[in-house]
Amino acid sequence: MNELLDRQIKQLQKYIDDGIDIVLFGGAGVSTESGIPDFRSATGIFTNNLSAENIISHDYFYYNPKGFYDFYKNKMMYLDAKPNVCHNKLSELEKAGKHITIITQNIDGLHQKAGSTNVIELHGSIHRNFCTNCGASYDAKFIKESKGVPTCPKCGSIIKPDVVLYGEPLREENINKAISALEQADLLIVGGTSLKVYPAASFIHFFKGDKKVYINLENEQLAEDFMYIQSKLGDVFSKIEIHE
Ligand code: NAD
Ligand code: ZN
């Protein structure tokens, strides 16, 4: 293994061993190794001259629900995806007694699937869906298997995923939880995020500690006062040991 990476992983291991209150602030890159593409790297999503941001937006949902759902069901709903080593290690650390808060921009539910219990989903989840009229709730399978635009069997209205679409505000409750977790933490690991989606990306500034690690395949320029680990998350987390 490359020497720098080796040294950095050892340092991260020490931070984790010494850490009491750990926050993982993650993005789409946490789930690429589960087979879910991210938005911004070379293999990310971009179709028909419309970016994912244009399609997964509040306006587009109402303007062209069929176009929205075609894209959303195909590119955002990976119901067979399994947690990878990063999701699993975080859950194992929690089980070993660490206080772990996961603040995720992902909507895939994989941290919970891995067993983590303290997950703040800043952008919602594909697993919760509500009728826009009567509020009845539906699971992801119902949406994925629906033909065209999913509508409510009870009242016929369109169903909307509980996902924060571009152009929609974050939930106040999640903002508050994320900020207080960051303020209390003594180790911040930022991973698999281009830090380009606001306001989510701005939250990391609420962390006041000095142990800050950024694990990402690119964007060294954003690392500032972080220890920057340019690597796949899986290659890092597979080396992290759980010490009870
Ligand atoms: P992004 O696509 O903007 O950036 C992902 C970053 O992760 C890139 O910089 C990429 O280089 C890096 N990366 C990719 N795979 C990696 C790996 N294995 N190890 C380390 N780094 C890796 O993602 P974002 O910042 O989360 O913003 C995208 C928005 O789109 C989010 O708000 C999210 O809600 C949504 N989104 C979610 C999912 C999901 O739920 N899995 C997938 C795509 C997009
Ligand atoms: Zn209804």
Side-chain angles (χ1 to χ4, degrees), residues 70-118:
D70 281 349
F71 180 90
Y72 177 83
K73 285 192 226 172
N74 278 318
K75 308 281 188 182
M76 307 296 301
M77 299 191 86
Y78 291 82
L79 302 191
D80 296 330
K82 298 199 173 41
N84 62 51
V85 62
C86 177
H87 303 103
N88 289 332
K89 272 290 156 72
L90 290 162
S91 150
E92 288 166 33
L93 284 166
E94 182 189 328
K95 287 196 185 80
K98 292 279 176 201
H99 189 269
I100 308 268
T101 306
I102 292 160
I103 305 175
T104 184
Q105 301 165 83
N106 293 346
I107 57 174
D108 53 37
L110 288 182
H111 285 293
Q112 290 92 331
K113 216 178 199 178
S116 288
T117 63
N118 191 17

Side-chain angles (χ1 to χ4, degrees), residues 88-231:
N88 289 332
K89 272 290 156 72
L90 290 162
S91 150
E92 288 166 33
L93 284 166
E94 182 189 328
K95 287 196 185 80
K98 292 279 176 201
H99 189 269
I100 308 268
T101 306
I102 292 160
I103 305 175
T104 184
Q105 301 165 83
N106 293 346
I107 57 174
D108 53 37
L110 288 182
H111 285 293
Q112 290 92 331
K113 216 178 199 178
S116 288
T117 63
N118 191 17
V119 184
I120 302 168
E121 294 175 311
L122 288 178
H123 293 157
S125 173
I126 60 166
H127 297 286
R128 297 182 296 270
N129 305 275
F130 299 102
C131 170
T132 51
N133 176 49
C134 75
S137 87
Y138 297 94
D139 64 10
K141 190 161 172 278
F142 181 89
I143 303 297
K144 180 87 175 176
E145 290 175 358
S146 62
K147 296 257 175 315
V149 177
T151 53
C152 176
K154 294 183 181 143
C155 78
S157 299
I158 182 169
I159 298 168
K160 190 169 182 288
D162 184 19
V163 166
V164 178
L165 305 178
Y166 287 93
E168 293 179 344
L170 302 191
R171 285 232 183 104
E172 185 114 353
E173 186 200 346
N174 284 335
I175 298 177
N176 293 338
K177 277 201 265 177
I179 290 175
S180 89
L182 282 156
E183 282 175 343
Q184 281 162 34
D186 51 46
L187 168 60
L188 169 63
I189 304 170
V190 177
T193 172
S194 59
L195 293 172
K196 285 185 182 133
V197 178
Y198 282 85
S202 65
F203 294 164
I204 58 172
H205 300 299
F206 285 94
F207 178 73
K208 296 286 177 282
D210 53 4
K211 294 172 185 164
K212 301 159 84 167
V213 183
Y214 181 40
I215 310 168
N216 211 63
L217 289 171
E218 57 186 7
N219 292 338
E220 178 164 15
Q221 76 284 1
L222 296 179
E224 293 176 347
D225 48 349
F226 283 71
M227 170 167 81
Y228 175 60
I229 307 183
Q230 183 167 31
S231 166

